[in-house]
Amino acid sequence: MYAQMVKSEATQDDPEKLKAFQERIDAGDKIEPKDWMPEGYRKTLIRQIGQHAHSEIVGQLPEGNWITRAPTLERKAILLAKVQDEAGHGLYLYCAAETLGVSRDEMTEMLLDGRMKYSSIFAYPTLTWADMGAVGWLVDGAAIMNQVPLQRTSFGPYARAMIRICKEESFHQRQGFDIMMKMCSGTPAQKQMAQDALNRFWFPALMMFGPSDAESKHSAQSMAWKIKMNSNDELRQKFVDQTVPQAEYLGLTIPDETLAWNEDKGGYDFAEPDWGEFFDVLKGNGPCSVDRIATRQKAWDDGAWVRDGLMAHAAKKRAAKVAAE
Amino acid sequence: MTKPDADLFEFLLRMGDTTLILGHRLSEWCGKAPVLEEDIALANTALDLIGQTQMWLGLAGEVEGKGRTADDLAMLRDAWDFRCALLVQQPNGDFAQTIMRQFLFDHWHLDALCKLAHHSNDQVAAIAAKASKEVTYHAERSADLVIRLGDGTEESHSRMQAALDLLYPFVGELFTFSVEDLRPDYDAKVEAILTEATLTIPDSRFAHLGGLSGTRHSEHLGHLLSQMQWLQRAYPGDTW
């Protein structure tokens, strides 16, 4: 997902306080920034929300790659609106994380020096226009699976950010599917482009949910704290069950020969992605990992004089105001 | 086309091509702005300009009467048929150049749209009225940034001054096709803002010409078009 493999922090707090905290969560209370919270809850949330925010920001790049080559004015406008939404999502999420005592600049530095991650999916290249369809359809579709339940997450600012984000994400998913529909009903070359995009994005999309919960050491605590609402496998299954009929509707083939409907479980059986590749991507060895961070680093470095200039002007204004009083 | 229609077509291309090329330039910033708020603002401004392009070029196609859509005009003409101001063809450069280009353009754009909102052609007036609401915000934002960065640090000041020196020779062209003389008001407004920004307008009023007439574009335009039009050119006649 946009937050993958988020390590839960062990917590050393007073057992009485922890018990009372857990009771609030179990009762469905929202935890607000000024409320007492276990240190592990705070740190895990910073990591999770930060990773989600970074994913929104880095996620602008593979789409930005096609804004300048969008085939029509309408497609260009839609893509611009979508990328603008994503920057906005990043902003809400950084603000939510800031309520936990970490600044946006600190989180940015942690992304750039590798202490914080972004979703593995954005380390893959967007090679054709059909990839704009595949990203909306599959990547935003997968993100929605996780984000809809997170609207009920226990941390108030995160839950509220997620409510706004989900409204926009469903539009993003629809616009992606719309691009795919247009291409699948177009020329043979367009349909081939759509199939190629599905071939390349299918397994990376499945990886977004993270490895099986059997291998996920941190899930239980996060689920008890309601900062993770469903298991990785549950969400992946739901995503496959939703997406396969959509691919059939488009006349596209899911690149998985083992894919089959399983009557007993009422869902599809499907092949696991290559988890070796997933861990390589997380380590910074994705096809575009180096480029993505280099681009963000350059934006950060090139923008330093702008940020300094704006701060210096604000300081001059404050000083002038004080002098006038 | 009758002479009045041909003149109107030419005018609509100048408006639509100029907003198209500037919108495209701004969209090149995606994901690379100095702060997140600026990423959002740049995308938002680009989006407004592309929306305006759809209206101007859509009307141009109607007036021309040959069945060309806004997309046909944007994606299937070569450079010599474009009528965009040289100012907006200039590359993004650093953030100072992007913001200075925007500032110099926005204040002309806003004045032009406010006048055009009273145009005798109802469709032109309606587009201008709608666009002027968006451009009011663009002009406020770019002026605000010019002041803050001009009067910020030594480095931000020198970058903004360098951007002004670089781009000012492209300002004069904007005033070569307006229905009324907008220059005195523009000069007064722009000078007041630049003074507050502690920036100095170059003495020379020399103006490069040739973008709005299509007679001598910059070398930058062809490269921009080769990227923007690539998909439509590579797959002729496909719908997207």
Side-chain angles (χ1 to χ4, degrees):
Chain A
M1 199 33 55
Y2 281 12
Q4 295 159 322
M5 303 287 291
V6 176
K7 187 172 160 240
S8 281
E9 291 280 338
T11 201
Q12 310 284 339
D13 298 284
D14 173 1
E16 282 300 312
K17 281 187 168 176
L18 276 177
K19 185 165 170 279
F21 180 79
Q22 191 62 50
E23 281 168 3
R24 284 191 64 194
I25 290 193
D26 294 343
D29 272 9
K30 286 279 179 266
I31 308 300
E32 295 300 333
K34 288 183 177 166
D35 296 349
W36 183 87
M37 65 184 78
E39 195 52 18
Y41 177 86
R42 193 181 71 82
K43 284 188 178 161
T44 308
L45 268 176
I46 288 174
R47 204 169 286 157
Q48 181 170 331
I49 300 172
Q51 197 181 114
H52 188 164
H54 296 325
S55 299
E56 299 283 358
I57 301 311
V58 177
Q60 294 179 91
L61 301 175
E63 291 182 313
N65 185 36
W66 278 93
I67 286 181
T68 51
R69 287 178 288 172
T72 67
L73 295 170
E74 188 183 15
R75 291 291 181 202
K76 197 184 193 74
I78 292 170
L79 202 52
L80 271 166
K82 179 175 192 281
V83 170
Q84 189 191 355
D85 284 350
E86 280 153 6
H89 297 172
L91 198 55
Y92 310 152
L93 289 161
Y94 283 128
C95 291
E98 281 183 320
T99 67
L100 294 160
V102 58
S103 73
R104 196 202 307 178
D105 286 1
E106 286 171 295
M107 285 184 276
T108 301
E109 298 281 0
M110 286 194 271
L111 168 70
L112 296 177
D113 69 19
R115 278 176 293 157
M116 287 182 93
K117 306 280 183 210
Y118 60 92
S119 176
S120 56
I121 194 72
F122 300 120
Y124 287 87
T126 51
L127 303 179
T128 70
W129 174 252
D131 289 13
M132 294 302 96
V135 166
W137 173 37
L138 302 174
V139 175
D140 293 308
I144 291 169
M145 289 287 159
N146 187 47
Q147 290 170 1
V148 166
L150 279 173
Q151 294 177 99
R152 293 178 284 108
T153 189
S154 60
F155 186 56
Y158 191 23
R160 290 189 287 275
M162 217 44 85
I163 290 168
R164 293 188 64 171
I165 289 172
C166 280
K167 283 184 192 152
E168 293 173 346
E169 289 289 356
S170 64
F171 150 75
H172 297 173
Q173 204 254 352
R174 281 202 303 276
Q175 70 85 33
F177 193 71
D178 185 61
I179 290 174
M180 294 307 263
M181 279 210 300
K182 198 85 181 170
M183 297 191 72
C184 289
S185 61
T187 63
Q190 284 178 304
K191 190 160 183 186
Q192 190 186 350
M193 221 185 271
Q195 180 65 55
D196 172 67
L198 173 59
N199 293 349
R200 283 181 290 106
F201 276 97
W202 175 252
F203 285 111
L206 295 187
M207 288 177 200
M208 288 175 68
F209 299 94
S212 174
D213 297 285
E215 296 178 31
S216 180
K217 289 168 265 179
H218 312 292
S219 290
Q221 179 62 78
S222 286
M223 287 180 87
W225 278 335
K226 292 190 187 166
I227 53 186
K228 182 179 168 87
M229 308 298 285
N230 303 83
S231 78
N232 296 347
D233 291 327
E234 270 169 25
L235 292 171
R236 188 169 15 250
Q237 182 71 52
K238 207 172 157 195
F239 172 74
V240 171
D241 292 345
Q242 176 187 288
T243 307
V244 171
Q246 293 171 347
E248 283 168 1
Y249 179 80
L250 291 170
L252 296 177
T253 308
I254 303 273
D256 174 0
E257 288 178 3
T258 70
L259 187 85
W261 178 254
N262 180 332
E263 198 63 52
D264 293 339
K265 75 172 181 187
Y268 287 91
D269 290 332
F270 54 93
E272 291 276 314
D274 176 353
W275 292 112
E277 177 181 311
F278 172 76
F279 287 110
D280 278 339
V281 173
L282 283 201
K283 280 182 213 147
N285 293 320
C288 297
S289 302
V290 171
D291 288 347
R292 298 285 186 250
I293 291 299
T295 302
R296 289 304 306 162
Q297 182 75 56
K298 185 171 187 311
W300 185 243
D301 294 345
D302 290 353
W305 71 267
V306 178
R307 298 189 298 275
D308 292 347
L310 297 175
M311 296 299 280
H313 182 78
K316 284 183 194 177
K317 284 279 160 197
R318 271 197 306 275
K321 199 175 167 209
V322 170
E325 280 168 1
Chain B
M1 267 191 289
T2 61
K3 172 79 170 66
D5 276 357
D7 288 348
L8 180 58
F9 178 66
E10 185 82 2
F11 159 79
L12 291 166
L13 290 184
R14 287 173 175 184
M15 294 304 289
D17 289 345
T18 298
T19 53
L20 171 62
I21 300 304
L22 185 56
H24 183 94
R25 280 285 185 231
L26 294 178
S27 76
E28 293 171 353
W29 271 99
C30 175
K32 297 168 193 159
V35 279
L36 192 44
E37 286 81 351
E38 288 308 316
D39 258 321
I40 297 172
L42 288 164
N44 191 34
T45 308
L47 188 54
D48 288 344
L49 292 169
I50 298 299
Q52 292 168 22
T53 303
Q54 288 175 290
M55 294 188 285
W56 291 126
L57 293 186
L59 184 55
E62 282 177 35
V63 169
E64 188 194 31
K66 292 183 183 168
R68 288 202 283 184
T69 64
D71 282 330
D72 292 337
L73 290 169
M75 301 295 178
L76 300 175
R77 282 177 301 155
D78 205 342
W80 59 74
D81 284 332
F82 270 76
R83 296 291 181 269
C84 42
L86 291 170
L87 177 65
V88 301
Q89 299 177 27
Q90 301 309 305
N92 286 336
D94 64 1
F95 191 70
Q97 287 170 38
T98 292
I99 290 303
M100 187 56 75
R101 182 184 64 197
Q102 195 68 37
F103 167 74
L104 295 171
F105 175 73
D106 286 344
H107 288 273
W108 170 82
H109 196 199
L110 182 58
D111 288 351
L113 291 172
C114 289
K115 295 276 191 253
L116 290 170
H118 304 289
H119 199 274
S120 56
N121 180 308
D122 290 347
Q123 283 170 293
V124 169
I127 296 171
K130 183 175 186 302
S132 69
K133 289 180 193 148
E134 295 165 347
V135 174
T136 300
Y137 160 77
H138 301 172
E140 272 175 31
R141 168 179 170 267
S142 60
D144 180 56
L145 280 169
V146 164
I147 291 167
R148 289 157 74 195
L149 293 171
D151 184 23
T153 60
E154 207 173 303
E155 182 179 5
S156 72
H157 174 86
S158 68
R159 282 178 184 264
M160 293 304 282
Q161 184 63 54
L164 178 58
D165 295 345
L166 179 73
L167 296 167
Y168 200 68
F170 298 102
V171 167
E173 189 192 21
L174 297 171
F175 297 93
T176 58
F177 93 108
S178 299
V179 271
E180 290 176 53
D181 185 12
L182 302 171
R183 186 95 204 219
D185 284 353
Y186 177 90
D187 282 345
K189 202 158 39 169
V190 161
E191 195 178 326
I193 293 163
L194 291 173
T195 302
E196 192 180 344
T198 71
L199 298 171
T200 310
I201 297 180
D203 289 333
S204 169
R205 281 294 183 96
F206 171 77
H208 290 289
L209 302 175
L212 289 167
S213 63
T215 52
R216 188 176 291 132
H217 284 298
S218 68
E219 287 185 346
H220 309 298
L221 183 64
H223 292 283
L224 186 153
L225 296 183
S226 69
Q227 186 176 47
M228 184 177 83
Q229 298 182 335
W230 172 74
L231 207 52
Q232 287 283 1
R233 301 286 193 168
Y235 298 89
D238 288 10
T239 55
W240 303 90

